[in-house]
């Protein structure tokens, strides 16, 4: 562990505002600082107190839901969209090969 410092990714702003949508910084988990107890490596990469990823949601334990939606990542659309390095990237889902 290190002493807490301002997050180098968001520079302490805790995320980015896109219109009305606020996206939390994935590096610091929306805290605006890293180090000490807030070190990303200590948290295992998941933001503190944040919800689990959608594909780990408890709704997938319901067999009817899992059957109706199909893939947990794309929900049957066969594409996954992600923001990477400030660009919106759409790629085929891994279930599209099936």
């Amino acid at each position: 562990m290190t002493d807490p410092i301002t997050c180098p990714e968001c520079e302490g702003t805790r995320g980015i505002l896109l219109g009305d949508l606020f996206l939390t910084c994935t590096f610091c988990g929306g805290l605006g600082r890293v180090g000490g107890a807030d070190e990303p490596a200590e948290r295992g990469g998941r933001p503190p107190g944040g919800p689990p990823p959608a594909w780990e949601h408890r709704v997938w334990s319901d067999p009817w839901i899992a059957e109706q939606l199909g893939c947990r990542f794309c929900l049957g659309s066969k594409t996954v969209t992600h923001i990477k390095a400030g660009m919106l990237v759409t790629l085929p889902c891994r279930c599209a090969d099936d």
Side-chain angles (χ1 to χ4, degrees):
M1 285 200 286
T2 61
D3 292 333
I5 60 169
T6 302
C7 176
E9 294 291 318
C10 68
E11 298 177 350
T13 61
R14 303 181 335 166
I16 186 170
L17 190 62
L18 297 173
D20 294 334
L21 181 65
F22 181 78
L23 300 175
T24 303
C25 174
T26 56
F27 189 73
C28 68
L31 297 173
R33 64 186 181 282
V34 293
D38 301 321
E39 182 65 34
E42 299 292 324
R43 292 193 311 263
R46 185 174 289 174
W55 56 87
E56 290 180 7
H57 193 276
R58 61 188 168 106
V59 73
W60 292 105
S61 62
D62 182 341
W64 186 85
I65 295 289
E67 181 182 332
Q68 297 302 311
L69 294 178
C71 178
R72 296 179 182 204
F73 297 100
C74 70
L75 303 177
S77 70
K78 304 290 186 195
T79 61
V80 177
T81 304
H82 179 68
I83 297 176
K84 183 174 182 177
M87 294 175 42
L88 190 64
V89 179
T90 301
L91 299 169
C93 183
R94 61 185 183 185
C95 73
D97 296 334
D98 296 341

